[in-house]
PDB file of all heavy atoms in Angstrom:
ATOM      1  N   VAL H  82      -3.037  12.551   1.251  1.00  0.00           N
ATOM      2  CA  VAL H  82      -4.136  12.941   0.355  1.00  0.00           C
ATOM      3  C   VAL H  82      -3.581  13.544  -0.931  1.00  0.00           C
ATOM      4  O   VAL H  82      -4.004  13.190  -2.039  1.00  0.00           O
ATOM      5  CB  VAL H  82      -5.077  13.924   1.065  1.00  0.00           C
ATOM      6  CG1 VAL H  82      -6.120  14.463   0.097  1.00  0.00           C
ATOM      7  CG2 VAL H  82      -5.759  13.230   2.244  1.00  0.00           C
ATOM      8  N   THR H  83      -2.631  14.448  -0.786  1.00  0.00           N
ATOM      9  CA  THR H  83      -2.003  15.061  -1.959  1.00  0.00           C
ATOM     10  C   THR H  83      -1.378  14.002  -2.860  1.00  0.00           C
ATOM     11  O   THR H  83      -1.531  14.027  -4.094  1.00  0.00           O
ATOM     12  CB  THR H  83      -0.915  16.060  -1.513  1.00  0.00           C
ATOM     13  OG1 THR H  83      -1.490  17.024  -0.643  1.00  0.00           O
ATOM     14  CG2 THR H  83      -0.285  16.756  -2.702  1.00  0.00           C
ATOM     15  N   THR H  84      -0.688  13.055  -2.241  1.00  0.00           N
ATOM     16  CA  THR H  84      -0.018  12.003  -3.006  1.00  0.00           C
ATOM     17  C   THR H  84      -1.022  11.091  -3.687  1.00  0.00           C
ATOM     18  O   THR H  84      -0.831  10.701  -4.849  1.00  0.00           O
ATOM     19  CB  THR H  84       0.903  11.195  -2.084  1.00  0.00           C
ATOM     20  OG1 THR H  84       1.896  12.073  -1.519  1.00  0.00           O
ATOM     21  CG2 THR H  84       1.609  10.076  -2.839  1.00  0.00           C
ATOM     22  N   ALA H  85      -2.098  10.738  -3.005  1.00  0.00           N
ATOM     23  CA  ALA H  85      -3.120   9.877  -3.609  1.00  0.00           C
ATOM     24  C   ALA H  85      -3.726  10.550  -4.853  1.00  0.00           C
ATOM     25  O   ALA H  85      -3.921   9.899  -5.886  1.00  0.00           O
ATOM     26  CB  ALA H  85      -4.211   9.553  -2.599  1.00  0.00           C
ATOM     27  N   LYS H  86      -3.996  11.844  -4.762  1.00  0.00           N
ATOM     28  CA  LYS H  86      -4.553  12.567  -5.911  1.00  0.00           C
ATOM     29  C   LYS H  86      -3.583  12.551  -7.090  1.00  0.00           C
ATOM     30  O   LYS H  86      -3.979  12.339  -8.245  1.00  0.00           O
ATOM     31  CB  LYS H  86      -4.883  14.006  -5.513  1.00  0.00           C
ATOM     32  CG  LYS H  86      -6.064  14.132  -4.560  1.00  0.00           C
ATOM     33  CD  LYS H  86      -6.301  15.583  -4.167  1.00  0.00           C
ATOM     34  CE  LYS H  86      -7.507  15.708  -3.244  1.00  0.00           C
ATOM     35  NZ  LYS H  86      -7.737  17.112  -2.802  1.00  0.00           N
ATOM     36  N   ALA H  87      -2.298  12.759  -6.806  1.00  0.00           N
ATOM     37  CA  ALA H  87      -1.304  12.773  -7.870  1.00  0.00           C
ATOM     38  C   ALA H  87      -1.126  11.391  -8.485  1.00  0.00           C
ATOM     39  O   ALA H  87      -1.007  11.241  -9.706  1.00  0.00           O
ATOM     40  CB  ALA H  87       0.036  13.281  -7.325  1.00  0.00           C
ATOM     41  N   LEU H  88      -1.097  10.367  -7.661  1.00  0.00           N
ATOM     42  CA  LEU H  88      -0.968   8.999  -8.164  1.00  0.00           C
ATOM     43  C   LEU H  88      -2.128   8.637  -9.077  1.00  0.00           C
ATOM     44  O   LEU H  88      -1.939   8.104 -10.176  1.00  0.00           O
ATOM     45  CB  LEU H  88      -0.898   8.018  -6.990  1.00  0.00           C
ATOM     46  CG  LEU H  88       0.424   7.946  -6.229  1.00  0.00           C
ATOM     47  CD1 LEU H  88       0.219   7.285  -4.877  1.00  0.00           C
ATOM     48  CD2 LEU H  88       1.475   7.185  -7.034  1.00  0.00           C
ATOM     49  N   LEU H  89      -3.327   8.935  -8.632  1.00  0.00           N
ATOM     50  CA  LEU H  89      -4.508   8.602  -9.417  1.00  0.00           C
ATOM     51  C   LEU H  89      -4.546   9.378 -10.729  1.00  0.00           C
ATOM     52  O   LEU H  89      -4.871   8.831 -11.786  1.00  0.00           O
ATOM     53  CB  LEU H  89      -5.768   8.863  -8.597  1.00  0.00           C
ATOM     54  CG  LEU H  89      -5.981   7.899  -7.420  1.00  0.00           C
ATOM     55  CD1 LEU H  89      -6.948   8.494  -6.410  1.00  0.00           C
ATOM     56  CD2 LEU H  89      -6.490   6.547  -7.916  1.00  0.00           C
ATOM     57  N   ALA H  90      -4.200  10.651 -10.670  1.00  0.00           N
ATOM     58  CA  ALA H  90      -4.185  11.461 -11.889  1.00  0.00           C
ATOM     59  C   ALA H  90      -3.104  10.979 -12.848  1.00  0.00           C
ATOM     60  O   ALA H  90      -3.305  10.935 -14.069  1.00  0.00           O
ATOM     61  CB  ALA H  90      -3.961  12.933 -11.544  1.00  0.00           C
ATOM     62  N   GLY H  91      -1.953  10.595 -12.296  1.00  0.00           N
ATOM     63  CA  GLY H  91      -0.856  10.140 -13.140  1.00  0.00           C
ATOM     64  C   GLY H  91      -1.158   8.833 -13.843  1.00  0.00           C
ATOM     65  O   GLY H  91      -0.922   8.701 -15.056  1.00  0.00           O
ATOM     66  N   VAL H  92      -1.702   7.858 -13.109  1.00  0.00           N
ATOM     67  CA  VAL H  92      -2.002   6.565 -13.745  1.00  0.00           C
ATOM     68  C   VAL H  92      -3.231   6.660 -14.648  1.00  0.00           C
ATOM     69  O   VAL H  92      -3.368   5.879 -15.587  1.00  0.00           O
ATOM     70  CB  VAL H  92      -2.173   5.432 -12.707  1.00  0.00           C
ATOM     71  CG1 VAL H  92      -0.891   5.228 -11.909  1.00  0.00           C
ATOM     72  CG2 VAL H  92      -3.360   5.691 -11.771  1.00  0.00           C
ATOM     73  N   ALA H  93      -4.103   7.618 -14.374  1.00  0.00           N
ATOM     74  CA  ALA H  93      -5.250   7.816 -15.263  1.00  0.00           C
ATOM     75  C   ALA H  93      -4.777   8.243 -16.657  1.00  0.00           C
ATOM     76  O   ALA H  93      -5.384   7.893 -17.664  1.00  0.00           O
ATOM     77  CB  ALA H  93      -6.204   8.854 -14.683  1.00  0.00           C
TER      78      ALA H  93
END
Side-chain angles (χ1 to χ4, degrees):
V82 173
T83 304
T84 300
K86 290 178 178 178
L88 284 163
L89 291 161
V92 299

